[in-house]
Amino acid sequence: MDYDFLTTLRRQHPGWRLLAADHGPLVAAFLHRYFIEPNQRTFAEAELASRLEDFLFHLRERLGDDAFPKPARQYLNDWAADERGWLRKYYPRDSDEPHYDLAPATEKAVQWLVSLQGQRFIGAESRLLTVFELLREITEGTETDPKARIEELTRRKEAIEREIEEIQEGRLRMMDDTRLRERFLQMSDTARGLLADFRQVEQNFRDLDRQVRETVAAWDGSKGDMLAQVFGEHDAITDTDQGRTFRAFWDFLMSPSRQEELSTLLERVMALDPVRELEPDPRLQRVHYDWLEAGEATLRTVARLSEQLRRYLDDQAWLENRRIMQLLHKVERHALAVREAPAQPPGMTVDELAPSVTLPLERPLYRPPLKPRIEQNELAAGDADLDAGALFDQFYVDRAALRSRLQRALQTRDQISLAALLEHSPLERGLAELVTWLALAADDPSALIDEAGECEVSWRDDHGMVRRATVPDVLFSR
């Protein structure tokens, strides 16, 4: 707490800036009424601006129309600006309307102002008993001697048994009104202080979430290094005394039996006459529900941090998959470009495995080319009355029928050759039908035409003569 530290704190801390601001009373009074006193976590901009307009309207009635001349939305934007930082302005998911939340430093400053009010009395006895009880718990919790711990438990057991005997004899010791009010006020202050602790833990995780976003935006290393750094900072927060205390408190509060017990105790205490004389805040009776709401806000912040990490991993996986698809498309484009070009095998070509020797005497002698002799004869005139119907008296080979015949043959097998197919279904239209079968094989991408192999196909023409043809081996596949 030296001079330089306090000078820096005065310039940078939002709470100090609030106390030193010209409109500090306006800011503190408004935020205390609508955020701290009812334990309201967030407000939409429209709702909070409407409440601030009403608040300013009542102030202008007393202080004049010139007091606080700015509109409510402008005040909210000023309070949420970086140079002040009294409110946090953000956009929730699936919402285009800004929301406002109270900054932890602002809550501490306002709570300090609340503590400056004169208290009706200071609970010295309850504080002293709390000190003794804490010291006793520390001592018992660190005692390693089993004998000493058994002696302490035996002493407490005897004290409890004496108290039971006194109650059975009719001597019931009761707490007086002063002590009752004292302990109730201490309980109330502690309960409200827990809400500020929740807001501070939430702010710590929010700062970590912002740091993670900045790290992801500028990260150019591996995913493992980035996750190791983020999880290390996350563990550094959760493993602190504050983080461990928050987890223990949350586990204790999430117990249904503890919630029921706490509700019963608050209801019984609020019904006592000395407590009603203090006119306590009715919302204190449901303070544990405020704890649950504040804890859920903290857990949602942690969930956003986990979601940010998951989105980063998904984006990285998408980028990697996109790069893979780009490479695949590049390979496909190259394949289409060289599809019609002759294949160029790698390496060097060798004409023959061994040199060929050609002797001079093996060369043939020169032979003059044969010159054909073409006779020029006059064309005789044809018969003009010849019947032209013979030109149209041809037959038609149905490709669809042949394809249907092939599909029926492939229903019981995966492959069939053309020779086997013609043995089962002989040619009916002769050479024209054979050519049609070859055309079907050429158009079918699953068919194979082996030029190296040959098969002989036979049929009978219209005059009963057997005709034969040698064709390449053809294999049809399903």
Side-chain angles (χ1 to χ4, degrees):
M1 295 293 289
D2 56 3
Y3 175 80
D4 295 334
F5 172 75
L6 293 177
T7 302
T8 305
L9 194 67
R10 178 176 179 270
R11 186 176 60 254
Q12 297 181 355
H13 197 275
W16 197 319
R17 289 198 296 261
L18 173 61
L19 298 176
D22 295 335
H23 296 329
L26 166 66
V27 180
F30 176 76
L31 297 181
H32 179 267
R33 174 179 295 184
Y34 292 104
F35 277 96
I36 298 178
E37 188 175 4
N39 187 34
Q40 182 67 33
R41 307 300 298 182
T42 60
F43 276 104
E45 185 180 44
E47 182 181 0
L48 190 60
S50 176
R51 293 174 184 259
L52 182 56
E53 285 288 356
D54 294 339
F55 193 80
L56 295 175
F57 175 77
H58 293 292
L59 290 179
R60 289 164 185 160
E61 284 185 339
R62 294 191 296 106
L63 304 178
D65 295 337
D66 296 336
F68 311 115
K70 296 181 182 180
R73 292 181 183 270
Q74 187 173 352
Y75 277 117
L76 293 178
N77 290 328
D78 292 343
W79 298 349
D82 293 337
E83 58 269 15
R84 293 176 179 84
W86 302 329
L87 290 175
R88 183 176 70 94
K89 184 179 181 180
Y90 68 101
Y91 288 86
R93 178 182 296 180
D94 301 331
S95 175
D96 56 355
E97 183 181 9
H99 284 58
Y100 290 90
D101 188 10
L102 189 63
T106 307
E107 184 174 7
K108 290 182 180 180
V110 176
Q111 291 288 9
W112 182 76
L113 292 175
V114 173
S115 67
L116 296 181
Q117 296 177 347
Q119 299 182 4
R120 278 170 282 190
F121 66 91
I122 298 176
E125 181 189 4
S126 63
R127 293 174 182 267
L128 180 61
L129 292 177
T130 302
V131 171
F132 270 97
E133 187 65 27
L134 293 176
L135 291 175
R136 184 181 296 109
E137 290 182 1
I138 294 173
T139 304
E140 293 177 359
T142 56
E143 179 61 57
T144 58
D145 186 6
K147 182 178 180 181
R149 300 191 70 170
I150 292 175
E151 290 177 355
E152 176 62 23
L153 292 175
T154 303
R155 185 187 62 80
R156 290 163 58 181
K157 175 183 177 183
E158 293 175 354
I160 295 175
E161 290 177 350
R162 284 195 301 269
E163 186 177 356
I164 293 175
E165 292 176 359
E166 292 177 359
I167 295 175
Q168 291 176 349
E169 294 174 358
R171 292 177 295 172
L172 187 62
R173 288 179 292 180
M174 301 292 294
M175 185 181 297
D176 56 18
D177 295 347
T178 301
R179 293 179 177 178
L180 180 60
R181 287 191 290 267
E182 177 186 357
R183 284 159 176 76
F184 176 78
L185 292 177
Q186 184 179 1
M187 182 275 298
S188 177
D189 294 340
T190 304
R192 292 188 177 276
L194 286 173
L195 298 175
D197 295 339
F198 273 110
R199 200 181 297 270
Q200 183 61 51
V201 174
E202 180 183 356
Q203 180 63 36
N204 292 341
F205 281 108
R206 191 181 300 117
D207 294 339
L208 177 60
D209 178 67
R210 181 176 181 179
Q211 184 178 358
V212 168
R213 294 174 186 269
E214 295 175 355
T215 303
V216 169
W219 190 263
D220 56 354
S222 64
K223 292 185 293 184
D225 296 338
M226 198 280 293
L227 294 178
Q229 178 179 348
V230 171
F231 285 131
E233 296 174 356
H234 180 275
D235 295 339
I237 292 179
T238 56
D239 291 341
T240 58
D241 294 339
Q242 186 182 44
R244 287 193 293 266
T245 302
F246 170 75
R247 290 201 307 270
F249 173 79
W250 183 253
D251 295 339
F252 183 86
L253 189 61
M254 287 303 295
S255 174
S257 60
R258 294 294 185 178
Q259 293 183 23
E260 184 178 357
E261 180 183 1
L262 190 57
S263 300
T264 303
L265 292 175
L266 287 173
E267 183 178 356
R268 292 175 58 183
V269 170
M270 296 291 287
L272 297 176
D273 293 336
V275 174
R276 287 204 303 266
E277 292 176 359
L278 295 175
E279 297 180 357
D281 188 354
R283 288 186 295 269
L284 189 62
Q285 190 168 351
R286 58 180 307 275
V287 66
H288 51 300
Y289 295 109
D290 294 339
W291 293 341
L292 288 173
E293 183 179 355
E296 289 176 357
T298 303
L299 295 179
R300 282 195 297 269
T301 303
V302 179
R304 284 197 300 270
L305 175 61
S306 302
E307 181 181 359
Q308 177 66 21
L309 295 176
R310 181 180 58 81
R311 188 181 298 111
Y312 166 74
L313 295 177
D314 292 342
D315 292 342
Q316 289 295 106
W318 180 82
L319 291 175
E320 294 175 357
N321 293 336
R322 181 182 180 185
R323 178 58 180 165
I324 294 174
M325 294 304 299
Q326 289 177 349
L327 295 176
L328 291 177
H329 290 321
K330 187 176 180 180
V331 172
E332 291 175 352
R333 287 195 297 269
H334 282 296
L336 293 176
V338 301
R339 179 179 57 180
E340 303 297 337
Q344 297 293 335
M348 61 181 296
T349 59
V350 179
D351 295 336
E352 294 182 4
L353 298 179
S356 57
V357 179
T358 304
L359 298 177
L361 296 179
E362 292 181 357
R363 297 178 181 179
L365 299 176
Y366 173 75
R367 294 180 181 179
L370 179 64
K371 295 181 179 181
R373 186 178 60 180
I374 301 175
E375 296 181 355
Q376 296 182 358
N377 298 326
E378 294 183 359
L379 296 176
D383 189 358
D385 297 333
L386 182 65
D387 185 11
L391 298 176
F392 301 96
D393 190 11
Q394 304 292 331
F395 55 85
Y396 170 73
V397 178
D398 191 355
R399 292 171 60 95
L402 297 183
R403 188 178 294 106
S404 177
R405 188 186 308 172
L406 174 62
Q407 292 176 355
R408 286 196 302 270
L410 290 176
Q411 289 180 354
T412 58
R413 68 195 75 186
D414 294 333
Q415 295 178 342
I416 187 172
S417 63
L418 178 61
L421 183 63
L422 295 181
E423 289 180 1
H424 183 268
S425 300
L427 296 175
E428 298 177 358
R429 299 294 184 181
L431 184 60
E433 184 176 348
L434 178 60
V435 173
T436 305
W437 277 114
L438 295 176
L440 288 176
D443 296 338
D444 190 357
S446 60
L448 176 63
I449 300 178
D450 187 8
E451 299 289 347
E454 295 180 350
C455 67
E456 186 175 289
V457 179
S458 61
W459 69 92
R460 290 185 178 274
D461 59 7
D462 296 338
H463 303 287
M465 297 182 63
V466 177
R467 304 288 185 179
R468 290 181 175 83
T470 303
V471 297
D473 286 336
V474 178
L475 184 64
F476 294 99
S477 299
R478 183 183 298 179

